[in-house]
Every structure is written in C-alpha cells, then in structure tokens.
Amino acid sequence: MDNKQAVDKPLLLLLSVFVVATCGLIYELIAGTVASYLLGDSVTQFSTIIGAYLFSMGIGSYLSKFFKDKLLNWFVKIEIMVGLIGGISSTLLFTLFGLAVSFKVILYALVGITGLLVGLEIPLLMRILEHRYEFKDLVSKVFTFDYIGALLASIIFPLVMIPHLGLMRTSYLFGLINISVALIVAFKFSKELNNHLSLKLYGFLSALLLLLGFIFSNYLMTWTESLVFNENIIYSCSSPYQRIVLTQDKKDLRLYLNGNLQFSAVDEYRYHEALVHPLMHQHNYKKILVLGGGDGMAVRELLKYPQITSITLVDLDAKMTDLFSKNSLLQQLNQASLVHPKVKVINTDAFQWLKSQPEQFDGIVVDFPDPSNYAIGKLYSTLFYQVLYDKLADSGMVVIQSTSPLVAPKSFWCINNTLQFAGFKTLPYHTNVPSFGEWGFHLAAKHQPRLLTYAIPIQTRYFTIDEFNKSTYFTPDMKVDTKEINKLNNQMLVHLFEQEWSVYQ
Amino acid sequence: MKRKEFISVLWSSSLIGSACNQFSLQPISVTINGPAHHLGHQLRQPSKLVAKETKNIKTLIIGGGVSGLTTAYFLKKNGYEQFLLLELNDRVGGNALAGNNHITGYPYGAHYITIPDANDKPLISFLHEVGVIVGFNEQQLPIINEEFICHAPDERHFMNGIWNDGLIPHQQISEADRQQFQRFFALMHEYKLSMGKDGKHAFTIPVQSASMDEKWLQLDDVSFHDFLTKNGITSGALYWYINYCLKDDFGGHAQQVSAWAGLHYFASRRGNAANAESDAVITWPEGNYWLVNKLKKDLQEHIINNSLAVEVDDQSRDTILVKVKQEHHTFNVKANQVVMATPHFINKRLLKQPPEAFNKLTIESSPWAVINITLNADFASTRGIPLSWDNIIYGAENLGYVHAQHQAIRLPNQDTVITLYYCFCKQTPALERQKIQLWNEDDWKTFVIDELKQAHPNIKHYMSNIEVWIWGHGMVLPAVGLKKKLLKIKHEYSSKRILFAHTDYSGISIFEEAFHQGLSAANQILHAHQG
Ligand SMILES: Cc1cc2nc3c(=O)[nH]c(=O)nc-3n(C[C@H](O)[C@H](O)[C@H](O)COP(=O)(O)OP(=O)(O)OC[C@H]3O[C@@H](n4cnc5c(N)ncnc54)[C@H](O)[C@@H]3O)c2cc1C
C-alpha cells in the first residue's frame, strides 16, 4: 500500500498541513472581504462566509471516508485543485460580479468548494500518517500545524498581504504556494505515487497559470474594473467623502463620483453652458459664488465674463479640487479655471459655510449632487434656500441644477415649489445632455427672472439666447402637478427622487 | 447595490483599511462621569466649614439649571441687576448639560422640547426672542425655525428583526393590539378635551395652569396602571409603549406614576405651529443645552460656577445667610432673598431648620445613565427604515438612542455619536442607585453592548468610545399622591424671602415647567422690588 511507504518523510507532510491551513483561511478571508464590499455590513458577510467555510470543511471531512486507497495521490490532486481554485478566486469573483446575475450563489459555491477540499485534506493526511505516529501524537501534531497556519493567515492577511499586494495578488500568491507544496510532495514521493508524471504536469500547468495571473494582475484589475465602467480607468482615488474615478477612451474623458457619472468630456459643455450662461447673460454680475462644482467647468464658463471680479468656489472635497487644479489633462478641460487669480477655492461644507459668512453675492451657481440621500436632501430644503436668499444681492440671481424633469418630474417641480416657498421667483428650464439625458435647472431671484432678449458676444458651442428661451418650455411629459415642498422635517424630495429614479433604473 | 457602486467601493483603499480596522482588536475607551458628585458629601457637614468673608447681595439664586437660569434671565431682562447665581458644576445647565467631541455636540440629559402651547405666551415670546420661533403666520401660529424642528426621518422602532417607521408598531402587532392602541388614544383624546369647572384645561402644561377640580385631582390617588386597567387596557405591546413614554419623561413606569401625571403626558399637549405637526419635537445636536446657552448669554457677571451652597440660614429677621463652598475657599452670602432652584432632597439639607412638613416630603427620582457612544456610522446599516433621530427597540429595557448629528446641516463624517438613554427604575430608586454605583468601565461596556445587540448584533466592532453620564437623581418621579402633597407644601411653606423654583415642585420635569418655575420666581422678585 502506497500510504505505508509514504511515511518516510512525515515532516514534509506535516508542513504541508500548515500550508494548507494558511492558504485555506486566506481564501476564506478574501471571499469575506469581497463579499463585505459587495453586500455591505462586513460583520454579517464575514460571519456567514466563515460559517459556510467551516460547514463545507465538515462535509469534506465526512466525505473523506469514501476515499479508500491511493490516498497520497488524492492528497496531491486535491492540493493542486485547492491552489488553483483559491488562486483565481478573487479574479473570478470580480469578473463574475460584473457578468453574473446571482453573484451570491457563485460566492458561496466558491467558498463551499474550497472548504470542502480543505476539509478533505486533513483526514486524508492523518490516514496517510496513521502508522508513523502513535494516535495521540498524530492528532496533536496535525492540529498544531493546522491551527498555527490559521493564526499566521489571520495575522498576515490584514497587516501584510492586503496593504502590499492587494486582494488579487494575494490570492494568486497563496494559490502558488499551495501548488508548490503539492509539487514538492509529488517529487519527493514520486515512487509512491501512481502516475506521478501526469500529476506533476497538472501541477506545473496550474502553477504557470497562477504565475501569469500574479504577474498580470494589474492588467486583470483594470480589465475587471473596465467590465463595469466599459472604459479605461486613468485615475482613481478615495477621499473621505467619495470615490473619484476618471476614465478615458479614444475621444472621451469621464468623471465618476461614487460610480455616478458627473460629466463626459464629449458633451459636458452643454451642461455647463446651460448652467452658467442664462445666469450671466445680460447681467452685470461681478461677485460670484459657486457651490459644489469642484471640477472647475462652471468656473471656466464664468470666466468668459470679464466683468466678474471674484469667484468663490466652495466644494467639500479637497481631493477633487486639487485634482482639477493640478492634473494637466483636467486643466486642459477646465482651462485651468481653478488656478485663475480671480478664483478662490474653499474646501468646506457649503451649507455651514454659507450660513455663517456675512457676504452677499450677485450670481450664485448651485451644482450639488442629486438628492439621493437624506444628507444631500438637506441641500435642497426650504431652510437652505432661505439661507441662499439671504446671501443673494437684491438684483442677483441663482441657478440650481435640479435633476431630470423627464425622469423625475415630481422631484424637479418639488424643487421649484421649494424655491418659491423660500421667497424666490423662478424660471425653470431644461436642456439635453446626451450622456445624462434631459436635464433641468432653475433660475431663481428676488425678482421674476426673464427670458433673454439680446445676445452678448461670448464664445459658446451650444448656448444661444433662442435656445435658452425655447428651453423654458416644458412638454407635457415633463410636467406634473405637485404641491410638495422639501422641508427638513419631511425630506419629501429624497422620497420623490428615490421613487422616480428607481422606476427608471 | 449597483454595479458601479460596487466597484467604486471595491477599489477604495480606505474601505480596505476600515474593514481591517473592524477586525483588529480596536480598544473601546470608556469614561464614567456625572454632575460634580464628588462635592455632594460636603452638604452633610456644613458646620465644619468656616467662612472667611461675607458678600452682600439683594437676591441670590442657588442652582443654575433651567429653572434658576430662567429666573436670572428675566431679572436681567427687566433691568434688575442685584443678583448672583451659584452653580456647583463648572458650567450651568443642570439636567440640560451637554458634551462634545471632534464630531458633534451631544446631550448629557434633556434633549428636546415640544411645540409650545398657544396659551403659553411667555414661553412663546422667549422662544421668539432666541430664534426658535422666527415669526407668526396669519392665524398667529408660530413659525418654528426649520433647522430645529426634528428633521425627517424622525422616529423608528425595531421589532421582529426590522426597523419600522414611527414609534407605534402599527404593522407588526395583532389586530387586537391595534384596537387597544386606538382605544387608548381615543381615551386620551377625550381627556385632552376635558375642562374643569374653573374653565381651565384638566391637563395642561405648565401644570400650574391646570384645573384644580377635585374630579381631576383625585386621579393623583391612583397609579396610571390601575387607571388603565380600569379602562380596559390590557395589550402588552401597548403597555410597553406607555411605559416607554413614562420612563422617558418621568423616570418611572405606569405602576409608579400617578394617573394624574400619566394623563399629563398623553393628554396635555396642544401645541400648534404654522410649519410643523403638533406632535413634532424641537431639538439640537447638543439638546436643550442650546437653550441654556441662550438663557445664560447675558448673565456672565452674575454666574459663579464651581460653588456649592452648603447651608441656607433664614433665622435672622431681615437677611438670609448662605454658606458657599468653593474648592479652596468658603464664604458667606448675605441676601435679602434667596431663590432655591435646587432639587428638594438638596433643599432639605441646605435649610438650617426646615419646617417639619417640608422635611417629611420625599420626592423620589430614579437614577439615569445617558451614554454617548462614538462609533462608525456604518453601524446603522440594518434592515428597514434608515437611522433616524429617535431609535427605539421594542421590548428592550432601555429607552433607545438618539442620533446626535441628526440635526446637523452639514454632510456627515464617517464617525458619529449616538446617545443611549437608560432609566434605572425596576426597583426603588435607592436600590438602583446602589447597584450602578458599583459598576466599573467594563461593566458599563458590557451593559451598553448588551442593550444594543438585539438591534445591532455587531455594534461593538464599530464603537470607539463610550462616555457614561450618570444622574444619581434624574427628574422628579410624579408618584401616586405627589401632586396633592406638593399643593399642600406650597400652601404651608411659602415665604417672600425664600422662593422655591425647581421642577421638583412642578411634579413634572420638562423644560416648560422649569421655565415657568423660574419665571414665577422672577416675577415675585420683580414685584416685591417694585412694590
Ligand atoms: C436624563 C434626563 C433627560 C431629560 N430629558 C428631557 C427632555 O428631553 N426634555 C425636557 O424638556 N426635559 C428633560 N428632562 C427634564 C429636565 O430635568 C428639565 O427639562 C430641566 O432641565 C430641569 O431643570 P431644573 O432647573 O428644574 O433642575 P436641574 O437641572 O436639576 O437644576 C438644578 C441645578 O442646581 C445645581 N445645584 C444643585 N445643588 C446645588 C448646590 N447645593 N449649590 C449650587 N448649585 C446646586 C445643579 O448642579 C443644577 O445645575 C430630562 C431630565 C433627565 C435627568
């Protein structure tokens, strides 16, 4: 019997227990990490993954009794399989998340298979070694190595592996280690193994695959991310407030904040011209305030008006304004607007800042993210608009991005009502931005904002006074009768916005 | 979660960091604090303290809670300057104190008021002055500053594994329970409309404006629980809700609280505002300390902090001698008039020779713990309604937690603070006080985690700091019979020289009552001064 001969080199086999245990736990931690990012609530994810893993290990141990002979063969085979599956697991999860519908099934299947295989290994090994040691020594040795391996994994995973290698490389690396052990065993026990050549071949092929994966994991990462964005990522970073991703392909440059498209270089001019020129045309506004708009595009349009003496831009996120002040590609896009001497950038919370500062402004551009949660909903409330009203010069005017009147008409008109409730006279309008769809804005002032009557010589690609005047007309599908007002104590807008956009998606 | 969102978080290294943090054994720091309780024992032996000097003042206010501050506020407002206010803590505020950290301010005690009653003119004009009310509409209804009305979502409750809207479990209970809730509210509504023969509301705030008809006063002789069972209320879910409310406002449950007080909780509110529901609350991150700051704004030169009154001697004919202990210094204040804006159990000790009836009156109050927990805002990601202002857990002993940053108008950080309220009123107040006095940091930590784990099983992984604030004597417990005793005391022991102004003497401790306690004292002083 092969297992009787195999006991020559027991230490090697015990070391392989150690490796198997380490690798197994690492795969499990990887699955837990991915799952907690994906499904939120890391604690739940980790506990269910750990539970599933341990349970499948149990199944593996149970099934081990059905392996009657060629135990060493099976041991090597299983070790190769674990290494291969574990090694590619993170890539698999990343890729499949973009493609597959029911990601959870795949996740738990993967955890289950890994657990099952690892669960098979220990009993098999114990049986291989059963005549080498006395039973009590055997048990004590095998489990000691097993648990030390687990300890090692749990320490190096968060402290060393994730910070230095990242998820993908970590899994490739441990896959490789796993297979190396299988190969070493295969070589040392060549004689005891049936068909050792084919085992070695499998081992080498798998190792090669994982090695390639390890080397090219950067490309793989970009590739998997592009499966989601369908574009090339040229820059990404996280600030305390959001995830900033810039993508580029042949013609287009796009900015995503938390995965939501902010602009596409191909048609952003439409959005920003529509945002700024109706406000500035025909008015001799000198002192301008921009709230949000850290990309500097609105400021670029504003700077076309030489009479402006100062532009104050307040954006919460310093990472964002830094990026758009310093990156040369982005400077081209916003024409270095953020470093213009007339422009002052302040990184702080817009609402708090506005409330506590004493000045009034002639023109105010309000370009906040859509009201998709309660925190942002406060920036569209009667209270916010009342503060805005106080900080606006009597002859001044405000423009507010107001989400899509086509997708979310109730939300759009709720913003209108809210502005009016705060004392503003309004003039709503909309424009088509292909990458966004039909987009809406409000002009608001202490006097009734009017249509434009004469053009002034400003270079624009899209904006004309005729186009603007037309855009104040709303077709019936963009009109709804709603009386809702967004107050802090009802947060009506967030409810409407969620209703309307969820249908759309 | 959408694909894009997934990826956007997936790649964010900061999240990788925080995921790891959660599993590193991040220590949770615990501090235990309370109103300057180390000074308390000094009250026991005033004679051992020798005063070195004597200050003279016309009016002395002892105690800088809302009651005492309101007296001071109105004296000042009416141009009366000859007064001082003594406060034993390093800051005024009393039960409405607050703390703060790098994230937000948060309450140590009182944290909200309700929409004011239209008949309460002094309160309405005060709230107008300090900017809580910003104007009035055509019907003269107050327009409340929107920033301070509790923002949406205001309340949620945890029941059957999910967070539900509001405080009342409409969906989660049986039809029979639902009917009981309806019936209870209908009954309370009836009492709300009840008037006395004297033309006053049977139940109203401030209680001094309520009807004195025996018909209503006799409800002081029975517990609210007995009153309810007599009226056919049996539902367990309903009793839990009622007890939750009573504990929250009175620090006692339906068996302890009189029916007269219970009805005041449920049938006295007639607030009306132009821009808020009548049951809306008005609140700030730092709770009622916001109001304290308004009250004390112009009082700097009148307030003396860190000063414990240890004895009030009114034996001499024309002046009252108050002995005051500071850390390294004891002095006397000779005053023509003293306002004791301090709780009754302290007043009994302060008065050198308290009259017998006064001494015999015991006003109970349960101990409280108000626990501010700093934690990662992700803790709240649970099923159902998102994190709200008030979050209560059905069936729990605690009174739920309040999200301190709920009223903030800036975008939130990753970390936040929640305030867990706990009233220790299972046993008698004295026993409960003894029990928690022995608890150390670890006991409190375990306690907090246990109280919250039903709704947030993993909460300990999110916490970084626990600040326990202990009130040995919370607010007055309006026990069976207390109202009548208070009326009697008022009759027998009121002098022009010593005025009592504390919510203990209202029998109900809420901001509005403290305000009127203080205002009445101020009016008496001003009156005497002019007359
Ligand atoms: C945990 C808790 C939560 C509450 N929540 C609310 C709420 O949300 N809304 C609400 O309306 N009410 C609430 N209350 C009720 C609150 O008690 C009242 O609103 C009000 O603040 C009471 O004010 P007061 O001045 O009558 O009493 P206190 O606040 O008790 O004031 C007494 C003051 O006297 C001082 N003092 C005592 N002895 C001496 C001495 N010997 N010498 C000098 N100074 C002394 C004390 O330090 C204190 O500052 C709450 C109370 C508690 C305990």
Side-chain angles (χ1 to χ4, degrees):
Chain A
M1 291 289 288
D2 48 42
N3 55 331
K4 282 218 178 93
Q5 293 148 344
V7 296
D8 289 358
K9 293 144 187 136
L11 194 66
L12 177 63
L13 289 177
L14 283 175
L15 272 175
S16 69
V17 172
F18 173 72
V19 173
V20 169
T22 317
C23 295
L25 195 65
I26 294 269
Y27 305 142
E28 175 193 1
L29 290 173
I30 287 170
T33 314
V34 174
S36 51
Y37 293 161
L38 166 59
L39 309 162
D41 194 359
S42 51
V43 181
T44 310
Q45 299 319 325
F46 269 95
S47 39
T48 51
I49 297 257
I50 289 173
Y53 182 78
L54 291 177
F55 177 64
S56 9
M57 274 179 72
I59 299 182
S61 308
Y62 172 76
L63 292 179
S64 69
K65 75 172 180 185
F66 299 109
F67 291 75
K68 295 270 149 55
D69 48 12
K70 297 199 201 127
L71 293 186
L72 199 60
N73 265 51
W74 278 114
F75 181 75
V76 175
K77 264 191 216 160
I78 288 169
E79 193 140 2
I80 293 173
M81 273 200 278
V82 180
L84 191 64
I85 293 174
I88 59 169
S89 62
S90 62
T91 313
L92 217 57
L93 287 174
F94 282 47
T95 317
L96 292 179
F97 179 69
L99 305 176
V101 202
S102 111
F103 175 76
K104 271 193 184 174
V105 175
I106 295 166
L107 174 74
Y108 285 102
L110 216 56
V111 171
I113 294 172
T114 322
L116 194 120
L117 293 174
V118 174
L120 273 171
E121 282 187 305
I122 305 286
L124 286 185
L125 202 82
M126 286 175 76
R127 280 162 60 194
I128 295 170
L129 294 173
E130 91 190 295
H131 300 290
R132 181 68 177 89
Y133 297 109
E134 228 186 284
F135 184 68
K136 66 176 186 338
D137 287 336
L138 178 63
V139 173
S140 117
K141 284 207 165 71
V142 168
F143 284 107
T144 307
F145 279 98
D146 185 19
Y147 290 130
I148 293 177
L151 174 69
L152 182 73
S154 63
I155 291 172
I156 60 173
F157 181 76
L159 297 184
V160 185
M161 303 326 291
I162 289 300
H164 293 287
L165 290 181
L167 273 175
M168 242 184 223
R169 286 199 161 169
T170 303
S171 47
Y172 281 118
L173 181 69
F174 280 87
L176 272 171
I177 296 175
N178 224 311
I179 292 181
S180 316
V181 172
L183 280 172
I184 294 171
V185 173
F187 276 97
K188 294 279 179 196
F189 297 102
S190 290
K191 283 184 227 108
E192 291 90 338
L193 288 167
N194 300 7
N195 214 350
H196 65 96
L197 278 179
S198 69
L199 273 184
K200 284 175 192 160
L201 186 68
Y202 288 142
F204 272 117
L205 284 179
S206 310
L208 189 69
L209 191 78
L210 293 186
L211 194 67
L212 287 175
F214 184 79
I215 294 170
F216 295 109
S217 62
N218 270 346
Y219 294 94
L220 276 173
M221 221 147 148
T222 327
W223 176 69
T224 49
E225 195 165 32
S226 69
L227 276 182
V228 171
F229 282 104
N230 293 317
E231 293 139 33
N232 242 336
I233 309 241
I234 56 168
Y235 175 88
S236 60
C237 78
S238 298
S239 76
Y241 307 101
Q242 56 202 349
R243 174 75 184 162
I244 305 171
V245 173
L246 268 176
T247 71
Q248 188 178 35
D249 54 27
K250 276 141 264 152
K251 283 190 229 88
D252 199 3
L253 183 75
R254 287 174 170 230
L255 171 71
Y256 293 87
L257 295 181
N258 290 339
N260 297 317
L261 179 65
Q262 297 304 296
F263 69 74
S264 149
V266 175
D267 60 15
E268 66 60 36
Y269 67 91
R270 279 186 151 243
Y271 177 88
H272 291 107
E273 287 184 9
L275 180 69
V276 168
H277 296 291
L279 171 81
M280 290 305 296
H281 234 64
Q282 292 189 11
H283 292 109
N284 195 25
Y285 297 150
K286 296 199 167 71
K287 202 167 141 195
I288 309 295
L289 173 66
V290 181
L291 301 176
D295 57 24
M297 309 295 189
V299 178
R300 175 194 66 203
E301 295 302 316
L302 285 166
L303 286 168
K304 292 178 180 168
Y305 294 84
Q307 85 269 12
I308 291 179
T309 52
S310 77
I311 301 176
T312 308
L313 181 136
V314 184
D315 191 298
L316 185 61
D317 197 346
K319 277 242 166 91
M320 182 75 182
T321 48
D322 277 1
L323 179 67
F324 280 84
S325 309
K326 290 176 188 147
N327 180 301
S328 62
L329 210 60
L330 298 171
Q331 272 201 354
Q332 265 172 36
L333 257 180
N334 64 22
Q335 293 169 9
S337 64
L338 293 183
V339 292
H340 192 282
K342 282 182 187 172
V343 177
K344 188 164 124 203
V345 175
I346 300 176
N347 294 118
T348 184
D349 187 85
F351 200 158
Q352 286 249 299
W353 178 85
L354 189 64
K355 198 162 172 265
S356 57
Q357 65 84 44
E359 290 174 54
Q360 284 197 329
F361 296 86
D362 302 326
I364 305 182
V365 177
V366 180
D367 194 9
F368 288 135
D370 284 345
S372 57
N373 63 43
Y374 290 124
I376 301 178
K378 294 185 179 186
L379 299 172
Y380 290 80
S381 63
T382 43
L383 182 70
F384 179 75
Y385 292 148
Q386 276 155 12
V387 174
L388 204 61
Y389 194 92
D390 287 345
K391 309 296 172 175
L392 182 69
D394 285 346
S395 60
M397 197 146 72
V398 185
V399 65
I400 294 147
Q401 93 82 357
S402 310
T403 192
S404 169
L406 188 63
V407 177
K410 284 187 198 148
S411 309
F412 182 82
W413 295 106
C414 171
I415 297 175
N416 188 44
N417 296 345
T418 310
L419 282 163
Q420 290 179 352
F421 183 87
F424 283 108
K425 310 268 192 308
T426 61
L427 179 61
Y429 64 99
H430 60 97
T431 198
N432 189 274
V433 185
S435 60
F436 279 21
E438 201 62 37
W439 215 256
F441 306 87
H442 282 94
L443 281 177
K446 299 181 181 181
H447 55 275
Q448 177 62 46
R450 297 191 188 292
L451 299 184
L452 297 175
T453 49
Y454 61 91
I456 54 165
I458 292 285
Q459 260 237 314
T460 56
R461 290 169 67 190
Y462 153 77
F463 170 83
T464 64
I465 64 164
D466 287 344
E467 173 60 29
F468 168 70
N469 289 344
K470 266 196 299 191
S471 75
T472 59
Y473 173 76
F474 285 78
T475 50
D477 58 349
M478 292 194 266
K479 276 197 191 145
V480 289
D481 215 15
T482 173
K483 299 222 158 36
E484 303 292 5
I485 294 170
N486 185 43
K487 300 182 181 182
L488 289 174
N489 56 333
N490 66 15
Q491 291 265 20
M492 193 40 76
L493 184 59
V494 176
H495 295 289
L496 294 175
F497 184 86
E498 197 179 271
Q499 260 170 34
E500 295 182 308
W501 279 90
S502 67
V503 175
Y504 182 76
Q505 277 164 355
Chain B
M1 188 188 264
K2 283 167 261 151
R3 284 166 60 188
K4 275 174 194 162
E5 280 174 39
F6 163 59
I7 287 297
S8 63
V9 282
L10 186 57
W11 299 109
S12 97
S13 50
S14 72
L15 272 184
I16 296 195
S18 71
C20 295
N21 275 342
Q22 279 174 26
F23 289 92
S24 68
L25 299 168
Q26 178 192 23
I28 302 170
S29 52
V30 183
T31 53
I32 304 175
N33 235 317
H37 42 277
H38 55 282
L39 293 173
H41 65 273
Q42 313 242 14
L43 280 176
R44 300 214 171 93
Q45 290 162 313
S47 52
K48 284 206 176 148
L49 300 162
V50 185
K52 297 253 164 61
E53 55 172 317
T54 301
K55 287 184 191 176
N56 289 299
I57 189 81
K58 241 186 163 151
T59 303
L60 180 69
I61 304 168
I62 307 175
V66 172
S67 299
L69 285 170
T70 305
T71 303
Y73 177 89
F74 281 104
L75 292 181
K76 182 88 182 178
K77 192 169 137 73
N78 287 286
Y80 183 97
E81 297 275 345
Q82 299 131 302
F83 69 94
L84 287 175
L85 183 151
L86 300 177
E87 167 56 48
L88 79 89
N89 282 300
D90 60 356
R91 298 173 289 156
V92 291
N95 286 350
L97 276 175
N100 65 285
N101 63 13
H102 63 288
I103 302 162
T104 177
Y106 44 78
Y108 287 147
H111 61 125
Y112 70 93
I113 60 173
T114 50
I115 303 287
D117 194 314
N119 293 322
D120 195 344
K121 297 280 185 278
L123 180 63
I124 288 184
S125 71
F126 166 74
L127 293 176
H128 194 189
E129 259 164 46
V130 300
V132 173
I133 292 173
V134 292
F136 298 87
N137 72 359
E138 301 92 64
Q139 291 97 48
Q140 287 310 303
L141 290 179
I143 302 167
I144 314 284
N145 189 332
E146 197 180 324
E147 185 179 348
F148 310 142
I149 307 174
C150 185
H151 302 174
D154 54 352
E155 291 160 342
R156 61 172 185 169
H157 66 274
F158 188 80
M159 199 179 203
N160 299 340
I162 186 161
W163 286 101
N164 309 277
D165 197 16
L167 292 189
I168 298 164
H170 292 295
Q171 296 105 27
Q172 304 274 338
I173 50 175
S174 70
E175 186 50 39
D177 281 336
R178 208 166 301 139
Q179 276 171 12
Q180 285 254 309
F181 268 92
Q182 267 167 16
R183 173 163 174 185
F184 171 72
F185 286 119
L187 183 68
M188 291 303 115
H189 191 70
E190 243 171 72
Y191 279 96
K192 198 183 220 169
L193 300 178
S194 307
M195 305 288 287
K197 287 199 214 73
D198 47 8
K200 294 177 170 179
H201 285 290
F203 303 98
T204 198
I205 301 289
V207 290
Q208 67 190 35
S209 318
S211 165
M212 286 295 115
D213 285 7
E214 182 53 28
K215 182 178 176 196
W216 313 120
L217 282 181
Q218 70 187 16
L219 287 163
D220 188 45
D221 303 333
V222 287
S223 74
F224 196 42
H225 187 270
D226 288 351
F227 166 85
L228 291 172
T229 36
K230 239 188 18 235
N231 280 283
I233 300 294
T234 51
S235 154
L238 178 55
Y239 270 107
W240 188 87
Y241 171 77
I242 292 168
N243 279 322
Y244 163 81
C245 295
L246 297 179
K247 284 198 278 183
D248 202 37
D249 256 40
F250 301 149
H253 46 75
Q255 261 144 352
Q256 296 168 309
V257 168
S258 75
W260 189 83
L263 281 161
H264 262 91
Y265 183 96
F266 291 102
S268 72
R269 301 287 188 184
R270 284 178 205 85
N272 231 334
N275 60 337
E277 303 285 327
S278 57
D279 60 352
V281 304
I282 299 170
T283 184
W284 303 263
E286 70 274 41
N288 292 4
Y289 196 59
W290 189 93
L291 291 164
V292 166
N293 276 323
K294 296 291 172 189
L295 283 170
K296 76 167 194 206
K297 198 171 110 264
D298 296 323
L299 298 173
Q300 280 92 328
E301 71 249 41
H302 299 278
I303 294 176
I304 314 177
N305 290 322
N306 299 309
S307 306
L308 174 79
V310 288
E311 192 175 63
V312 176
D313 180 354
D314 65 341
Q315 301 307 302
S316 120
R317 232 160 202 289
D318 34 44
T319 53
I320 304 164
L321 201 62
V322 178
K323 198 184 274 181
V324 183
K325 164 90 178 74
Q326 292 183 331
E327 195 180 357
H328 303 293
H329 184 63
T330 301
F331 59 93
N332 280 326
V333 180
K334 226 186 225 167
N336 301 62
Q337 217 164 21
V338 171
V339 179
M340 298 188 74
T342 32
H344 183 68
F345 80 99
I346 297 210
N347 293 343
K348 284 203 276 190
R349 293 204 184 124
L350 286 181
L351 284 174
K352 203 167 176 189
Q353 270 147 343
E356 191 168 326
F358 190 85
N359 225 4
K360 262 173 46 195
L361 172 67
T362 305
I363 296 184
E364 295 272 29
S365 51
S366 301
W368 277 71
V370 180
I371 302 162
N372 282 286
I373 305 161
T374 305
L375 76 188
N376 187 303
D378 288 344
F379 90 95
S381 70
T382 342
R383 292 209 295 142
I385 302 291
L387 185 59
S388 303
W389 173 69
D390 197 8
N391 308 267
I392 69 167
I393 302 168
Y394 249 78
E397 273 298 318
N398 65 67
L399 297 168
Y401 60 86
V402 167
H403 181 215
Q405 282 203 92
H406 187 80
Q407 296 294 95
I409 51 164
R410 71 193 126 69
L411 293 177
N413 314 52
Q414 273 165 355
D415 282 342
T416 197
V417 175
I418 60 172
T419 313
L420 175 69
Y421 282 83
Y422 199 99
C423 158
F424 292 88
C425 52
K426 258 202 215 141
Q427 301 163 285
T428 65
L431 285 173
E432 294 284 357
R433 266 190 290 276
Q434 262 173 27
K435 174 177 88 184
I436 58 173
Q437 247 161 30
L438 302 172
W439 289 6
N440 66 17
E441 281 81 356
D442 278 341
D443 297 328
W444 281 107
K445 182 157 82 184
T446 316
F447 172 77
V448 169
I449 291 167
D450 282 352
E451 283 298 323
L452 291 169
K453 75 176 175 211
Q454 185 189 346
H456 302 286
N458 302 310
I459 197 160
K460 70 166 173 240
H461 299 294
Y462 297 91
M463 297 193 205
S464 51
N465 182 272
I466 297 175
E467 189 180 340
V468 183
W469 188 274
I470 299 175
W471 297 105
H473 301 259
M475 67 286 273
V476 44
L477 176 69
V480 176
L482 179 68
K483 175 67 190 171
K484 286 191 175 165
K485 286 184 207 156
L486 285 173
L487 285 171
K488 220 164 124 202
I489 282 287
K490 199 175 162 198
H491 232 70
E492 283 174 10
Y493 194 76
S494 60
S495 82
K496 289 220 163 87
R497 300 199 305 154
I498 295 192
L499 305 170
F500 294 97
H502 188 270
T503 41
D504 272 10
Y505 300 108
S506 287
I508 283 182
S509 187
I510 51 177
F511 179 85
E512 294 85 331
E513 290 296 341
F515 179 84
H516 280 281
Q517 283 286 336
L519 176 60
S520 303
N523 283 339
Q524 285 182 55
I525 295 163
L526 291 168
H527 194 76
H529 183 62
Q530 280 150 12

